[in-house]
Amino acid sequence: MVTGKEGVSSVLPGSQLSNVPWRRQGVKYANNEAYFDCIEDVDAIIDANGAVVSAEIHGNINCNVHLSGMPDLSMSFINPRLLDDVSFHPCVRLKRWESEKILSFVPPDGCFVLMSYHISAQNQVAIPVYVRAMINFRDGNGKVDITVGPKTKHSVKRWITW
């Protein structure tokens, strides 16, 4: 138990508190920067001809934000209906996501995970790589050659933008 009045202020420090608990007020940077990394794990089954039989994606949007003041950011997606099982950082305004499928947020300062998501196998998922497999059997021995490479820029369907 603490008693006494000495050294206790009746006024809270204004620069430390805000209506947005994950961000301090009065943050200033000489260089304002925001980095967004979309990290995805792709699980896919590809047939002998290189066509996708089944694919699903688990992803995160990782952020590193150093912006002055109280920035109010928005992020939209080309096809947000593909996103299943989404979870958000507390800074995301859920009502705007539910009504407009737009991520609207005042970001924390520094590194954080803005969003995690899943894209199920029921959706048509275009993966950004090609896979070619060659299987050869000769004299009781087998050889498997698997080639994986990036699809050309024009053949990849983009589904997320910043």
Side-chain angles (χ1 to χ4, degrees):
M1 182 159 120
V2 178
T3 61
K5 204 169 183 179
E6 211 169 303
V8 178
S9 173
S10 62
V11 179
L12 293 173
S15 65
Q16 299 300 315
L17 301 175
S18 74
N19 292 334
V20 182
W22 52 84
R23 187 168 182 87
R24 293 179 295 126
Q25 284 186 341
V27 176
K28 292 192 190 239
Y29 289 100
N31 295 322
N32 287 297
E33 301 174 319
Y35 299 97
F36 298 90
D37 296 319
C38 184
I39 310 297
E40 295 182 328
D41 293 325
V42 179
D43 296 323
I45 298 172
I46 299 172
D47 69 12
N49 298 320
V52 176
V53 175
S54 173
E56 65 179 24
I57 298 171
H58 298 275
N60 289 325
I61 299 177
N62 299 331
C63 306
N64 189 358
V65 176
H66 300 286
L67 297 172
S68 299
M70 281 292 188
D72 197 335
L73 306 179
S74 294
M75 182 183 297
S76 63
F77 299 87
I78 289 175
N79 195 352
R81 292 181 311 248
L82 292 177
L83 304 175
D84 298 324
D85 193 24
V86 294
S87 62
F88 302 105
H89 187 276
C91 70
V92 174
R93 294 180 182 100
L94 292 177
K95 288 188 181 199
R96 182 134 188 232
W97 173 258
E98 290 169 352
S99 65
E100 302 174 47
K101 297 298 184 208
I102 292 176
L103 285 181
S104 175
F105 58 99
V106 175
D109 199 41
C111 297
F112 65 100
V113 177
L114 178 65
M115 165 186 192
S116 64
Y117 57 89
H118 175 255
I119 299 175
S120 69
Q122 285 80 26
N123 294 313
Q124 292 289 14
V125 176
I127 61 173
V129 296
Y130 68 85
V131 178
R132 290 192 186 109
M134 295 211 23
I135 302 171
N136 296 312
F137 290 104
R138 184 181 298 158
D139 301 325
N141 293 318
K143 181 179 178 182
V144 177
D145 287 322
I146 299 175
T147 304
V148 179
K151 286 185 179 176
T152 63
K153 184 177 179 181
H154 301 289
S155 65
V156 176
K157 294 180 184 175
R158 293 182 56 212
W159 60 271
I160 187 170
T161 61
W162 312 108

